[in-house]
Amino acid sequence: MASNSLRKASLQSMESEIESLLRSLESLKGDATDESLKTLKSLKSNAESALKTSRHLLSDLYDDVKVKTRETSIATRDYAQEHPWTTASVAVGALGLLAAYLLCKRD
């Protein structure tokens, strides 16, 4: 759980860095001197690098979520097979709550 929050913070940091780089690129766009062109290329390279890193982190995060979702679905299926009456009563209760919510919302 802590690694997910660290990744989220890291992604937010990268996003702000990319936004900063894009703002710098826009400010340098009008100035066409050799030095600014070098800086522009450097900033573009940094932005591309940050984008690749954030894509890699998002890919890792997606893989983690996919694995945990699969594990949860397997555990849920196993529980439902071991306790069918409990599962059925929980499902009926959830439907009852949904129906009550919809009826109350209607009024």
Side-chain angles (χ1 to χ4, degrees):
M1 189 63 80
S3 68
N4 285 342
S5 62
L6 288 174
R7 284 185 180 156
K8 186 175 182 180
S10 176
L11 286 174
Q12 290 173 346
S13 171
M14 277 189 253
E15 286 176 357
S16 65
E17 183 179 339
I18 290 171
E19 289 175 5
S20 173
L21 288 171
L22 290 175
R23 283 192 299 272
S24 296
L25 286 173
E26 286 296 321
S27 70
L28 291 173
K29 193 175 175 181
D31 189 10
T33 63
D34 289 337
E35 188 62 36
S36 66
L37 290 176
K38 289 178 186 175
T39 304
L40 186 63
K41 288 179 183 178
S42 172
L43 288 172
K44 182 180 177 184
S45 160
N46 289 342
E48 289 172 350
S49 174
L51 185 61
K52 286 180 186 177
T53 303
S54 63
R55 282 184 179 161
H56 178 70
L57 285 173
L58 284 174
S59 174
D60 288 347
L61 186 61
Y62 173 75
D63 290 340
D64 289 345
V65 168
K66 189 169 66 172
V67 166
K68 288 181 182 181
T69 302
R70 185 172 292 132
E71 290 172 354
T72 303
S73 66
I74 290 170
T76 303
R77 184 197 64 205
D78 292 345
Y79 182 84
Q81 288 176 350
E82 290 175 13
H83 308 284
W85 289 108
T86 304
T87 305
S89 62
V90 168
V92 168
L95 287 174
L97 285 174
L98 179 63
Y101 172 76
L102 291 175
L103 287 173
C104 288
K105 187 177 179 183
R106 222 172 164 188
D107 294 340

